[in-house]
Amino acid sequence: MARTLLNIWSRWRERLIDELDFYMDQAEKRILSQFNNINDEAEAYANDKYTQLAEISRPEMYDMGDLAEAAWEEGIEYYEMLDDLRSRTFLSVAAGMYHEWDKQLREWLHRELSHNFNMDHLGPKIWSVNIDEIFRLFRLWGWDASSEEYFQKIDACRLIVNVYKHGPGTSLESLKESYSHYLRIGLPDENEAAWLKFAAIRISPSRANTFSSFTPPSGLFGFRSPKTYGGLISFKYQTGSIKP
């Protein structure tokens, strides 16, 4: 006899989607939009720097072309610092979004399994295992999440967040192998090691929005997930094959 193992209530799922959509919308409006015009800001900074240098320099002692070049170089340096700050900010937003999604997934899984299983040992495992183990558990129950359209976005976001937090390691190696387009590419071959470093991760605004489209529960908990019955997503297991 089949029994329902995991259910997702449609109104709860919709609330999670709304909360994470709100997170991304507000992050874009209040934080990420501050970096929309860094080219203009850097140019204005260079112009101001040139004006300052011209006011304190004696024309007979300094070539105005040299002053303009010095101001231009400072403008470039200012742009690079803003660009680095933008990248770190985008990474922070992606990390916050991913961690909230991961937390909600584990809380839901813990709550649903507690209806049928003793959670003394299973509960801590849900919170300690790698997310890959949770997806493997779903696969054993008949749903291969890795075959879903959105899985690569979730997986890439997971790796990027891990590399951003911890630096070089297995996540960086996996990121290089599977999603190298999130790393800087285009340097000469002899400098290849430079773009393979964790500091070379770049997330553009469009990619940040791509993560927000797939990583929240609208992906894992959405209509493309396992069988949906009246808004409830149900996994079935045969009595006797898994002991509650």
Side-chain angles (χ1 to χ4, degrees), residues 86-125:
R86 172 173 61 180
S87 179
R88 291 194 294 269
T89 302
F90 285 179
L91 287 167
S92 296
V93 168
M97 182 176 60
Y98 178 82
H99 286 314
E100 180 62 21
W101 171 84
D102 181 87
K103 183 185 72 173
Q104 295 287 0
L105 170 63
R106 294 173 192 265
E107 285 182 349
W108 165 74
L109 185 59
H110 187 285
R111 181 171 62 251
E112 291 301 309
L113 291 179
S114 67
H115 298 316
N116 295 290
F117 294 90
N118 185 315
M119 302 302 289
D120 290 346
H121 298 290
L122 182 58
K125 283 292 185 182

Side-chain angles (χ1 to χ4, degrees), residues 4-21:
T4 299
L5 181 59
L6 303 175
N7 282 325
I8 299 178
W9 187 34
S10 60
R11 291 181 62 184
W12 178 79
R13 176 176 60 84
E14 291 167 2
R15 179 176 60 81
L16 288 179
I17 296 171
D18 289 343
E19 288 177 356
L20 288 169
D21 283 347

Side-chain angles (χ1 to χ4, degrees), residues 166-184:
H166 304 297
T170 56
S171 291
L172 177 59
E173 296 304 313
S174 297
L175 187 64
K176 289 191 294 186
E177 180 179 351
S178 302
Y179 312 105
S180 61
H181 53 281
Y182 289 106
L183 296 169
R184 290 183 189 173

Side-chain angles (χ1 to χ4, degrees), residues 135-143 242:
F135 282 127
R136 190 173 77 84
L137 187 63
F138 290 151
R139 187 164 61 252
L140 292 175
W141 288 335
W143 175 43
I242 300 179

Side-chain angles (χ1 to χ4, degrees), residues 34-46 78 82:
Q34 301 298 313
F35 298 95
N36 287 345
N37 299 308
I38 63 174
N39 284 325
D40 294 340
E41 291 181 38
E43 184 176 352
Y45 181 87
Y78 185 74
L82 284 176

Side-chain angles (χ1 to χ4, degrees), residues 45-107:
Y45 181 87
N47 290 334
D48 290 343
K49 184 60 63 174
Y50 175 75
T51 300
Q52 294 173 14
L53 292 174
E55 289 177 349
I56 63 175
S57 301
R58 297 171 59 182
E60 65 273 15
M61 296 183 62
Y62 296 95
D63 184 282
M64 300 305 289
D66 291 340
L67 296 182
E69 183 177 353
W72 178 252
E73 290 177 351
E74 291 208 29
I76 292 175
E77 182 179 355
Y78 185 74
Y79 173 85
E80 290 175 343
M81 290 190 293
L82 284 176
D83 186 45
D84 286 340
L85 179 59
R86 172 173 61 180
S87 179
R88 291 194 294 269
T89 302
F90 285 179
L91 287 167
S92 296
V93 168
M97 182 176 60
Y98 178 82
H99 286 314
E100 180 62 21
W101 171 84
D102 181 87
K103 183 185 72 173
Q104 295 287 0
L105 170 63
R106 294 173 192 265
E107 285 182 349

